[in-house]
Structure formats: C-alpha cells, structure tokens
Amino acid sequence: MKFVNLKLKDGFSCKEYLWHDITVVFSKKNRAGKTTLIRSLLYALGYPIPATKEVRFKKISFELSVQTDAGALVVLQRHCDEMVV
C-alpha cells in the first residue's frame, strides 16, 4: 500500500499533503506537526486515535487516497466515526 494524498477539511480551511515514491516525515523544528500528521494518517485509515488538546479529529473531514499493491486507487473518507470507502 502506498499513500497518494491526504486532504483535511475543517470548516472553510483545507490542507492537502501529497506523497511520491519516498515518504519521509522530517523537520528540523520541534512542534512542526510531524506526530499530528502521522496520527491523522492513522485516523483516516480507521484507527481509533484519540483527540489531543490542539486537534479534535471529530471536527475534521479526512480524505485519504492510497494505491494498493495491485495498482488500484482506493479513496477513504472519514468524518467523526463515519467511514466511506
């Protein structure tokens, strides 16, 4: 499985992350959002990730596109506890 992109929508704001062949989450700064990005990916995949003080996952809509090993593109959408494939 390969991550293609992740879209986060919170009200009127929208953020999109795109991945290519190699995915490395790296920053020289602390508190840049590395752990939050990984937690967002896991939440979009369906894992029961609890909210933090700064990020309330149930208020955000997630759309994660993944490519399977067979080459098929699968789009996962999650808002609150509802998930659509």
Side-chain angles (χ1 to χ4, degrees):
M1 179 174 72
K2 177 177 145 182
F3 296 121
V4 178
N5 72 334
L6 173 66
K7 293 180 188 175
L8 307 170
K9 295 178 187 173
D10 183 14
F12 291 110
S13 63
C14 183
K15 179 72 176 171
E16 184 172 9
Y17 299 92
L18 300 171
W19 289 280
H20 301 288
D21 292 335
I22 298 174
T23 301
V24 177
V25 179
F26 173 79
S27 176
K28 292 182 180 182
K29 299 187 316 180
N30 266 345
R31 300 197 48 87
K34 300 176 296 287
T35 302
T36 303
L37 177 61
I38 299 300
R39 288 170 53 90
S40 297
L41 280 170
L42 292 172
Y43 187 82
L45 285 169
Y47 287 92
I49 304 297
T52 62
K53 195 184 289 186
E54 294 86 15
V55 180
R56 303 280 184 241
F57 288 122
K58 291 190 177 192
K59 293 184 177 183
I60 302 171
S61 294
F62 296 83
E63 184 178 295
L64 176 64
S65 299
V66 295
Q67 184 176 14
T68 66
D69 292 338
L73 186 66
V74 178
V75 179
L76 306 168
Q77 296 177 333
R78 183 169 184 184
H79 183 70
C80 292
D81 289 329
E82 261 183 55
M83 189 150 185
V84 178
V85 179

